[in-house]
Amino acid sequence: MLLAKGTTTSQAVRIPLAHAVTSDKISPKIYKGRVSGRPLVVIDPGHGGHDPGSSSRDGRLHEKNVTLAIALAVRNALRESGRVSVVLTREDDHFLPLVSRREMSRRMKADLFISIHADSAPSGNPHGATIYTLSEIASDKIAANLAARENQADLSGITDIQTQNNDVKSILYDLTRRETMNASVSFASLLQRELQGRIPFRSHYHRFAGFVVLKAPDVPSVLIETGYISNPDEAAQLFSRSYRQAIASGIRRAVEIYFARRLAHLAESSNFEKPKSERKSSTRSLDSVLKNLNKHNE
């Protein structure tokens, strides 16, 4: 568990929410219900409304449409899994500021945030997916340029949460943020592993940059560029049902393993606090959970 959500530490940190712009259209529906013990995953289809995102070379295909189609496929796959609750930041074609997307996941106490995008390049025909996690220092020029382009789509003028309250400068905030970033990197690696063989990746599949939408200090977050809409061949794949299903299957598998591992970690931590006579049964119960998970996905 993250420090901001309560752990065994003696003091929990209060991380203030940013004041995001609201809209009557923003009323996310939780699929499978938020029940005790079931993690909440927020799927974020990039762009929307007056912000089309990137476009194909002929201008007929828009990123906002493919991201929504992929997000819906991911939602359906996770609903079938039944192991998590699922929320989409948008389910139709309307604009939603980046900070609103991020703060929506925080208000709902999400356990994981996945933002879906499609890449583009001004020249050449690069192809393949890339996964991004947060860093104030970009891993390379490509990552820096992409983050700058994506962040410019948010014209809401909302102040970042780090400037709103002195509490964010506390050591507990720093520890929480660091733990969140580590969890994000861990999920990014797992996501690439489960998508490998289903969709192509760029040679440097994991990059870092300061994406506004990934800056929740207490929600592990990744942004996946699912392919290049500017590449005619890959654009055709992005808009195909089979490609969307491949992405959804990989994300589902990664999500299931991520939370199974987290359950294992929590069970192991709590096991140390039990009498020795009770530890064996706890471990056996955990092994059973993980075994059933693997059987389900064979």
Side-chain angles (χ1 to χ4, degrees):
M1 294 293 289
L2 297 174
L3 294 175
K5 295 181 180 178
T7 64
T8 57
T9 55
S10 59
Q11 181 180 4
V13 58
R14 177 181 179 276
I15 301 177
L17 294 170
H19 297 294
V21 173
T22 59
S23 167
D24 292 338
K25 293 183 178 181
I26 304 174
S27 53
K29 178 180 179 181
I30 303 179
Y31 294 89
K32 288 292 182 183
R34 181 63 185 239
V35 298
S36 177
R38 180 172 290 167
L40 176 62
V41 180
V42 174
I43 307 297
D44 173 47
H47 306 279
H50 66 261
D51 171 26
S54 300
S55 299
S56 59
R57 290 282 168 81
D58 59 12
R60 293 187 302 170
L61 305 176
H62 301 298
E63 182 182 3
K64 67 176 184 178
N65 296 326
V66 73
T67 59
L68 180 58
I70 292 173
L72 290 170
V74 173
R75 178 202 66 187
N76 293 341
L78 291 176
R79 286 175 64 187
E80 291 174 2
S81 168
R83 289 184 168 84
V84 297
S85 301
V86 191
V87 167
L88 267 62
T89 56
R90 68 179 180 94
E91 296 190 11
D92 54 22
D93 185 20
H94 73 269
F95 175 75
L96 188 61
L98 297 176
V99 175
S100 292
R101 299 168 189 260
R102 183 186 75 203
E103 295 304 297
M104 180 189 298
S105 70
R106 299 191 63 222
R107 287 190 171 87
M108 303 187 80
K109 302 186 184 301
D111 297 283
L112 189 61
F113 178 89
I114 305 172
S115 191
I116 308 248
H117 289 257
D119 217 334
S120 66
S123 60
N125 279 317
H127 72 283
T130 311
I131 301 171
Y132 289 86
T133 54
L134 178 67
S135 174
E136 296 305 328
I137 300 176
S139 57
D140 50 54
K141 187 175 181 179
I142 293 175
N145 291 339
L146 177 62
R149 188 171 72 239
E150 294 290 352
N151 292 346
Q152 285 176 357
D154 192 354
L155 303 178
S156 58
I158 300 170
T159 304
D160 191 85
I161 63 172
Q162 296 187 37
T163 66
Q164 292 189 16
N165 194 304
N166 290 332
D167 289 345
V168 298
K169 297 179 181 179
S170 70
I171 185 62
L172 289 177
Y173 172 89
D174 291 336
L175 289 172
T176 299
R177 190 165 181 266
R178 188 179 308 148
E179 184 178 348
T180 299
M181 293 174 72
N182 289 340
S184 301
V185 170
S186 176
F187 180 72
S189 178
L190 183 59
L191 183 59
Q192 189 275 339
R193 191 191 79 180
E194 295 305 318
L195 284 171
Q196 187 71 47
R198 302 175 192 264
I199 65 173
F201 275 88
R202 300 208 69 184
S203 56
H204 300 291
Y205 75 87
H206 185 193
R207 298 175 187 265
F208 306 85
F211 290 92
V212 168
V213 78
L214 299 182
K215 288 188 175 183
D218 45 7
V219 182
S221 305
V222 301
L223 183 150
I224 177 170
E225 297 281 354
T226 52
Y228 278 79
I229 196 172
S230 58
N231 180 316
D233 292 335
E234 200 151 78
Q237 286 186 315
L238 285 168
F239 280 86
S240 70
R241 185 176 183 275
S242 60
Y243 197 78
R244 294 196 299 271
Q245 291 301 320
I247 293 173
S249 296
I251 291 179
R252 167 182 169 171
R253 176 66 176 167
V255 167
E256 290 176 339
I257 296 174
Y258 173 77
F259 287 115
R261 286 180 176 178
R262 220 173 71 162
L263 173 63
H265 176 72
L266 292 173
E268 182 180 358
S269 298
S270 63
N271 208 33
F272 284 111
E273 301 175 4
K274 296 181 179 181
K276 288 185 178 180
S277 60
E278 298 180 15
R279 291 182 185 179
K280 187 175 180 180
S281 61
S282 176
T283 302
R284 188 184 305 118
S285 176
L286 172 61
D287 289 340
S288 176
V289 171
L290 297 176
K291 184 177 180 179
N292 288 337
L293 173 63
N294 289 329
K295 281 185 177 180
H296 180 80
N297 289 280
E298 287 178 351

